[in-house]
């Protein structure tokens, strides 16, 4: 048997190995999450079927283990399932369970995948996700430039005109997480990467910051600023080479201020919201037209709905009907006509499941924060904080774009043995 033939057979066996096939499917999922949502359910089903097949074939049943974080994710889904027992709108409740199924599926997927995940898996998936965010950002930028060449309308580069594949708040969240992962990788590999590669990664970070401002989501910009400043401050206090951390902190702050001052349309959205809120406070209109003022009305109605059923809520499927009733009582016709959700995940969950559900929701993400701290991975704790902050202004677990991504991150970053990917060359260790 020739050496060439042996190598060819070995290459084929490596390609067909469970480890590589599972890695490819996870990579495809991670890449598509920030790019295009339609094929994602199919990829998840395919990944689950492949893992079940390999689990049976390789007899790896005994390796099935749920982490604390993954178990908490399943618990949240089961709590919503219990909410079906006393809901009146079963159709809406079942649809909500379908939307939130990722909180059940991903813990199972990662538990089944454990025997087929090798050292470096997390780093590879993070890199693929960052690549997906960069591709999606470049695609949005290119399409905006094409539309601008035709319309000469500068608004093509901002907000919903710029981010058309996802709502700007969700897209800003994806970019924010990619930015944190990229910065974390730079600090880890500071002494092992060539200076040219470090410089290239820093340019990518600057580009992603620019994209967050173009997405022009007020919440996205604020959360990105908070999370990045917190991450860099932590690095200043935890690394040996403090000059690098201080330089990064100053550079990020300067870049954010520069974009704020020079990019048209960014500052104006905040100014418009401030004026709208000022007018609203003075007039107390029941039908404000601007989004920030509308949120104030929605939150007032949400609190009234929570007060009616404070402990166990109205049930999984009755949130929208309950809100519509409160909107009608308040006189908020925009809310009734458009069937607005609470634009706050804490209120959304509390209306459905009461204070019990609200506390459990917080517990799920608190467990991820604790997991990150215990493993000395500040970036994981901050990513969990990013989700919690976005929950304050968006009901992010009511759509596929939010639920699938956040549920994936909970199970992914909640994996055991994450410290195996840490590099001893990290600046300061």
């Amino acid at each position: 048997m020739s050496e060439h033939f042996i190598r060819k057979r070995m290459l084929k066996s490596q390609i067909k190995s469970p480890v590589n096939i599972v890695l490819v499917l996870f990579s495809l999922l991670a890449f598509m999450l920030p790019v295009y949502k339609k094929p994602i359910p199919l990829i998840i089903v395919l990944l689950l079927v492949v893992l079940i097949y390999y689990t049976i074939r390789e007899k790896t049943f005994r390796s099935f283990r749920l982490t604390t974080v993954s178990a908490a994710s399943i618990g949240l889904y089961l709590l919503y399932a219990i909410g079906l027992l006393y809901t009146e709108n079963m159709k809406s409740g079942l649809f909500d369970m379908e939307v939130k199924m990722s909180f059940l599926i991903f813990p199972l997927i990662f538990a089944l995948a454990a025997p087929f995940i090798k050292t470096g898996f997390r780093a590879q998936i993070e890199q693929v996700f960052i690549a997906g965010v960069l591709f999606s950002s470049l695609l949005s930028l290119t399409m905006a430039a094409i539309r601008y060449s035709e319309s000469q309308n500068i608004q093509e580069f901002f907000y919903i005109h710029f981010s058309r594949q996802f709502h700007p708040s969700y897209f800003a969240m994806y970019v924010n997480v990619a930015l944190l992962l990229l910065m974390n990788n730079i600090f880890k590999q500071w002494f092992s990467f060539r200076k040219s590669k470090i410089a290239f990664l820093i340019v990518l970070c600057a580009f992603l910051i620019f994209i967050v401002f173009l997405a022009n989501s007020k919440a996205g910009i604020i959360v990105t600023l908070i999370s990045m400043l917190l991450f860099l401050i932590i690095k200043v206090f935890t690394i040996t080479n403090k000059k690098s951390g201080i330089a990064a902190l100053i550079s990020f702050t300067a870049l954010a201020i520069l974009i704020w001052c020079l990019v048209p349309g960014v500052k104006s959205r905040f100014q418009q919201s401030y004026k709208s809120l000022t007018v609203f406070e003075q007039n107390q209109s029941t039908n404000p037209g601007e989004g920030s003022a509308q949120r104030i009305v929605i939150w007032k109605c949400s609190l009234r709905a929570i007060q009616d059923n404070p402990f166990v809520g109205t049930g999984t499927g009755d949130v929208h009907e309950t809100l519509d009733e409160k909107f009608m009582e308040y006189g908020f016709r925009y809310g009734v006509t458009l069937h607005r959700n609470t634009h706050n995940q804490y209120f959304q969950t509390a209306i459905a499941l009461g204070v019990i559900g609200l506390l459990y929701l917080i517990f799920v993400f608190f467990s991820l924060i604790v997991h990150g701290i215990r493993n000395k991975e500040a970036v994981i704790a901050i990513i969990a904080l990013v989700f919690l902050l976005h929950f304050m202004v968006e009901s992010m677990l009511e759509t596929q774009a939010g639920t699938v991504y956040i549920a994936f991150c909970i199970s992914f970053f909640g994996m055991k043995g994450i410290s195996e990917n840490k590099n001893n060359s990290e600046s300061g260790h």
Side-chain angles (χ1 to χ4, degrees), residues 8-9 72 104 151 176 187 206 233 240 244 258 290 299 303 306 329 344 375 383-384 386 395 401 405:
K8 192 173 182 180
R9 287 192 61 182
L104 173 66
S151 66
N176 188 0
F187 278 104
I233 289 170
T240 303
S244 300
L258 188 66
E290 199 273 333
W299 293 341
L303 285 171
I306 294 169
E329 291 175 9
N344 180 301
N375 286 274
I383 287 172
V386 167
S395 299
Y405 176 68

Side-chain angles (χ1 to χ4, degrees), residues 78-355:
L78 294 178
L79 206 57
Y80 273 98
I82 292 172
L84 288 176
L85 298 177
Y86 52 94
T87 192
E88 294 182 5
N89 191 336
M90 183 59 69
K91 182 179 179 181
S92 178
L94 291 174
F95 176 76
D96 198 46
M97 295 301 295
E98 181 183 340
V99 171
K100 292 180 174 62
M101 193 171 289
S102 297
F103 285 98
L104 173 66
I105 296 297
F106 279 123
L108 299 179
I109 283 177
F110 277 92
L112 290 171
F116 311 108
I117 290 177
K118 302 303 179 185
T119 302
F121 171 82
R122 179 187 153 198
Q124 288 176 291
I125 298 303
E126 286 180 359
Q127 290 170 10
V128 171
F129 171 73
I130 292 169
V133 170
L134 289 169
F135 175 81
S136 189
S137 300
L138 288 170
L139 181 62
S140 295
L141 198 58
T142 302
M143 296 306 295
I146 293 173
R147 291 192 299 269
Y148 174 75
S149 67
E150 297 171 351
S151 66
Q152 300 299 307
N153 183 4
I154 194 65
Q155 291 304 315
E156 295 292 351
F157 289 98
F158 296 100
Y159 198 48
I160 56 175
H161 301 285
F162 175 75
S163 178
R164 298 199 174 193
Q165 69 273 44
F166 298 99
H167 187 280
S169 293
Y170 293 81
F171 188 57
M173 179 178 66
Y174 303 156
V175 178
N176 188 0
V177 173
L179 180 59
L180 286 166
L181 294 175
L182 198 54
M183 284 297 300
N184 190 54
N185 194 36
I186 291 173
F187 278 104
K188 279 186 176 183
Q189 309 291 348
W190 188 266
F191 293 120
S192 60
F193 283 163
R194 296 190 305 273
K195 289 184 178 180
S196 58
K197 186 170 184 179
I198 292 290
F200 175 70
L201 294 179
I202 290 173
V203 170
L204 290 183
C205 287
F207 173 72
L208 290 179
I209 294 169
F210 180 63
I211 292 297
V212 168
F213 279 90
L214 291 186
N216 213 5
S217 160
K218 296 187 292 291
I221 292 172
I222 292 171
V223 174
T224 299
L225 292 175
I226 292 172
S227 62
M228 283 299 297
L229 286 173
L230 181 59
F231 174 78
L232 292 173
I233 289 170
I234 290 173
K235 286 300 176 183
V236 168
F237 284 98
T238 57
I239 62 176
T240 303
N241 186 8
K242 297 188 183 302
K243 290 183 179 179
S244 300
I246 294 172
L249 181 59
I250 294 173
S251 299
F252 170 76
T253 305
L255 180 60
I257 293 173
L258 188 66
I259 295 174
W260 171 269
C261 293
L262 297 182
V263 177
V266 174
K267 189 191 302 184
S268 62
R269 285 205 76 225
F270 285 87
Q271 292 173 335
Q272 182 182 356
S273 294
Y274 177 76
K275 290 178 181 177
S276 175
L277 288 172
T278 302
V279 172
F280 173 75
E281 287 297 323
Q282 292 172 351
N283 301 332
Q284 290 296 312
S285 170
T286 57
N287 282 283
E290 199 273 333
S292 298
Q294 284 187 2
R295 276 178 168 83
I296 302 298
V297 174
I298 291 171
W299 293 341
K300 287 181 179 180
C301 295
S302 298
L303 285 171
R304 293 180 182 182
I306 294 169
Q307 289 169 0
D308 288 345
N309 296 278
F311 297 109
V312 296
T314 62
T316 301
D318 295 339
V319 178
H320 286 288
E321 290 182 356
T322 303
L323 273 176
D324 283 347
E325 290 177 5
K326 297 304 176 184
F327 291 156
M328 290 177 67
E329 291 175 9
Y330 192 87
F332 181 44
R333 61 175 180 272
Y334 285 127
V336 178
T337 304
L338 300 175
H339 297 288
R340 295 289 193 191
N341 61 33
T342 62
H343 285 278
N344 180 301
Q345 189 58 52
Y346 304 113
F347 288 160
Q348 192 86 21
T349 300
I351 293 173
L353 304 177
V355 175

